[in-house]
Amino acid sequence: EELVAAITGGRHVRVQMDGTLPSALDDPEGGSVSWELLSAGTRDALALAVRLAMASYFLRDSDGFLIMDDPLVDMDPVRQKAAAAAISAFSAGRQLILFTCHPATADLFAGNLIRL
């Protein structure tokens, strides 16, 4: 939920679950939007939050790394900045390899940049 809130800029703060799957997102005022009504950008934000949470869980006691291929490609610029901040926070404690063909996306991240 912290990752969802960070990536959505605080627009969504709670994830409702139906078993093991997200069913809705709640806003800070207590409103709820079901999965079916979420925008594509919000679904992408939720999916990224889930991937980062899973990677944190599975890599918690290891020296593993995460590889991501253009994780911001379908997000609007505001979400891209928020998502880049969440990804950067994740990478503070472990190695992250991120591929992108978009120079503007690469500019959102610090670290070693290798141009091919």
Side-chain angles (χ1 to χ4, degrees):
E1 291 178 338
E2 290 175 16
L3 287 167
V4 169
I7 295 171
T8 64
R11 186 172 175 195
H12 301 286
V13 296
R14 184 170 176 275
V15 179
Q16 293 183 29
M17 301 294 288
D18 181 11
T20 58
L21 297 174
S23 62
L25 295 180
D26 295 345
D27 63 36
E29 291 80 36
S32 181
V33 180
S34 69
W35 171 258
E36 297 81 17
L37 298 177
L38 293 175
S39 69
T42 302
R43 286 182 183 192
D44 288 342
L46 176 59
L48 177 59
V50 168
R51 287 193 306 269
L52 290 174
M54 289 176 63
S56 292
Y57 177 80
F58 288 111
L59 295 174
R60 70 184 174 276
D61 296 328
S62 73
D63 293 332
F65 59 93
L66 180 64
I67 298 175
M68 301 182 93
D69 184 16
D70 247 336
L72 312 181
V73 71
D74 291 326
M75 294 182 183
D76 62 71
V78 172
R79 275 198 189 99
Q80 284 181 344
K81 287 181 184 175
I87 292 169
S88 295
F90 169 86
S91 71
R94 57 192 49 88
Q95 186 175 16
L96 171 72
I97 300 169
L98 190 138
F99 294 98
T100 184
C101 61
H102 303 281
T105 297
D107 291 342
L108 293 173
F109 295 95
N112 298 323
L113 177 64
I114 300 170
R115 295 189 189 277
L116 301 176

